[in-house]
Amino acid sequence: PEAVTIADGFSSCKSLTRIVIPDNTKEIARSAFSGSKNLSEVVIGKNVSVVNDCAFYECYKLYDVYYNGTLSDWCKMTINTGSYPEDTNPLLAARNFYVKDNGNTYQAITELVIPEDITVIQPFAFAGCRAFTSVTIPESVQKVGESAFEMCRGIKEIYINADTICEYAFFQTSGVNKLTLGKNVQVIAPPIITLSAFSINFSTTKILSDTLAPPKIATNGLSASVIFTQRFKPSTSFCIKKPKAVGLP
């Protein structure tokens, strides 16, 4: 069948509680389900590759998200954010995220392991999802996009071996109690306001590193929020100083 775009005909539909987006859908339009405050379940077709700004604005009861594609496909999905980046991804409030396995059966994803065929995790790819308790990012991943895991407040453990971690990648994930940086981590890019790709409680989080040298902190012209105060040793903790307040230019 011909590829289609889901338009905004369902916006502010208060009676809508469940929607199935067919597999021949390529794109979800801007504000498609905006204001549908009782929407609690969505099935997303395997060929959806673009979700546009505000598509799921105020869908705060959207707890169950089913995806007919693969986890690799989801990592490549384009989330076109603009005025409301946190309300564009259908995972913004998800407590449960289901992806089909090789047997074409839905499996709940709680311990998220990024597939090794992925080199880039797209910006906002998993933003808002509370289904995950742990995230593992292998060395095949070269870049974790901006805000890829922002507001994933259920995460307790992170293992990351990507080369570059972009702005806000793990912003507002303060429940993390163990963060391990693999040997391939080279650049941690702080955002302009909070100045940290990670938003975690450094006083209670166990931080480990498999690398022998600290990663480079990309400061964007401002002071970095994460200052490494000792040389890394394999699988040992390292210290982090809290930054001084830095004004915007």
Side-chain angles (χ1 to χ4, degrees):
E2 184 180 355
V4 299
T5 296
I6 296 295
D8 61 355
F10 296 96
S11 61
S12 299
C13 185
K14 301 297 190 298
S15 62
L16 185 66
T17 59
R18 183 177 187 269
I19 187 77
V20 177
I21 300 173
D23 285 343
N24 65 329
T25 304
K26 292 289 187 181
E27 186 171 348
I28 300 175
R30 176 184 171 91
S31 303
F33 303 100
S34 174
S36 297
K37 297 182 179 181
N38 292 311
L39 182 63
S40 61
E41 180 179 311
V42 62
V43 179
I44 299 177
K46 63 182 179 181
N47 291 312
V48 172
S49 59
V50 178
V51 181
N52 286 299
D53 190 34
C54 296
F56 293 91
Y57 177 61
E58 293 187 330
C59 295
Y60 300 134
K61 294 182 181 180
L62 185 52
Y63 288 176
D64 296 304
V65 176
Y66 294 80
Y67 181 52
N68 290 342
T70 67
L71 193 55
S72 292
D73 293 333
W74 189 276
C75 290
K76 300 172 186 175
M77 190 178 296
T78 298
I79 308 294
N80 278 334
T81 63
S83 52
Y84 294 94
E86 67 276 17
D87 289 345
T88 297
N89 194 328
L91 294 175
L92 84 157
R95 270 56 169 180
N96 301 294
F97 180 43
Y98 302 92
V99 176
K100 285 191 174 180
D101 60 15
N102 293 332
N104 210 32
T105 301
Y106 287 116
Q107 296 291 332
I109 306 295
T110 55
E111 297 178 353
L112 177 64
V113 179
I114 300 300
E116 293 190 354
D117 64 327
I118 293 299
T119 58
V120 176
I121 301 175
Q122 291 297 315
F124 296 94
F126 298 97
C129 186
R130 302 185 188 186
F132 309 136
T133 57
S134 66
V135 174
T136 299
I137 301 176
E139 62 181 351
S140 58
V141 176
Q142 298 173 10
K143 184 170 73 171
V144 180
E146 175 189 354
S147 299
F149 296 93
E150 181 176 346
M151 296 190 298
C152 291
R153 297 189 174 98
I155 297 176
K156 302 299 182 186
E157 295 189 11
I158 300 170
Y159 175 81
I160 183 166
N161 203 12
D163 179 82
T164 299
I165 307 168
C166 291
E167 294 92 338
Y168 298 103
F170 290 92
F171 185 58
Q172 295 188 33
T173 54
S174 56
V176 174
N177 54 42
K178 183 178 180 182
L179 166 64
T180 302
L181 302 178
K183 63 182 180 180
N184 289 340
V185 176
Q186 297 295 321
V187 178
I188 300 177
I192 292 176
I193 299 176
T194 64
L195 304 179
S196 181
F198 294 91
S199 178
I200 60 180
N201 187 337
F202 292 129
S203 65
T204 60
T205 301
K206 185 176 183 181
I207 303 175
L208 306 174
S209 176
D210 293 331
T211 186
L212 292 174
K216 179 170 61 177
I217 307 300
T219 64
N220 293 335
L222 300 175
S223 298
S225 64
V226 181
I227 303 172
F228 298 94
T229 60
Q230 68 182 51
R231 186 174 178 81
F232 291 176
K233 298 177 182 179
S235 299
T236 60
S237 298
F238 58 84
C239 299
I240 294 181
K241 286 184 178 180
K242 292 183 178 179
K244 295 180 180 180
V246 178
L248 294 175

